[in-house]
Amino acid sequence: WVLLQYSSTYHARLAMSAPVDPNNVLMTGENSFIRLSKDGGKIQSDRISHWRVLWCPAGAGHALFVQSELTGGKVKIYGDNVAVVRWLQQSIESLLFPAFADVSIPVASAEFARAGGPPSSATESVISSHDEIILTWHDFGEPFVLTMPPGFNNRPIGVFSTFFPARAAQVEINGNFAAGSPWPEMRGDRQSSSACLAWSES
């Protein structure tokens, strides 16, 4: 559930709208991310997309897409349900970041675990037979709900998600740490970051 505290603006909008969104549900779960840079976002050095899928047409499971200086700039993919990973690639990542949508890249079997959460720090651990990846978000700003209907930014799918923007984030792969940092971004009128927990996402 996403619980919202009423504002006068939201109450007015709600009074004019139906209580059920008319669009079909493609997926529900989480899609937290970390994007790092050494120059404040001009050049992106690391891009990580972490998925916790509670339901989609391919089932439930986890996926991690990584392109980092720590991987030599190559894309690596990890998952605990290959069908879910491939569905995410074809249905969503193909729209978000085509480099993550290459289905010729093998999916390394991995175990996924989460610890902590706002307002302290949140950690996602991904462990395969060859790699140990630890993602950490901390120094959180105020959370907000992101709402983008289908067609927004010329994308055929929409999203409803609770963002917890992190001013600081860390990417660790096999004991090595990425050198870049998140940078501030605006999402509409809200202060956000290039590193966010995105929970309760549909």
Side-chain angles (χ1 to χ4, degrees), residues 17-138:
S17 63
V20 176
D21 192 293
N23 299 292
N24 296 325
V25 178
L26 287 179
M27 187 279 307
T28 189
E30 304 171 11
N31 179 211
S32 300
F33 56 88
I34 297 176
R35 298 165 196 158
L36 304 180
S37 173
K38 298 176 183 177
D39 57 10
K42 296 177 182 178
I43 299 175
Q44 188 171 266
S45 57
D46 307 83
R47 185 181 184 110
I48 290 88
S49 179
H50 180 282
W51 292 86
R52 176 171 287 108
V53 176
L54 301 179
W55 176 86
C56 77
H62 297 79
L64 179 71
F65 300 89
V66 178
Q67 187 179 53
S68 169
E69 289 187 342
L70 300 177
T71 64
K74 296 180 179 179
V75 174
K76 290 193 172 184
I77 303 174
Y78 305 83
D80 57 8
N81 184 335
V82 174
V84 168
V85 176
R86 296 307 189 202
W87 183 87
L88 287 169
Q89 288 181 291
Q90 295 169 353
S91 302
I92 302 180
E93 285 294 355
S94 59
L95 301 170
L96 299 180
F97 190 59
F100 286 167
D102 185 351
V103 295
S104 70
I105 300 173
V107 179
S109 179
E111 295 183 356
F112 292 71
R114 178 169 71 196
S120 182
S121 66
T123 299
E124 294 283 2
S125 300
V126 182
I127 300 174
S128 72
S129 59
H130 294 96
D131 297 311
E132 181 176 352
I133 302 169
I134 301 175
L135 311 173
T136 305
W137 296 255
H138 62 103

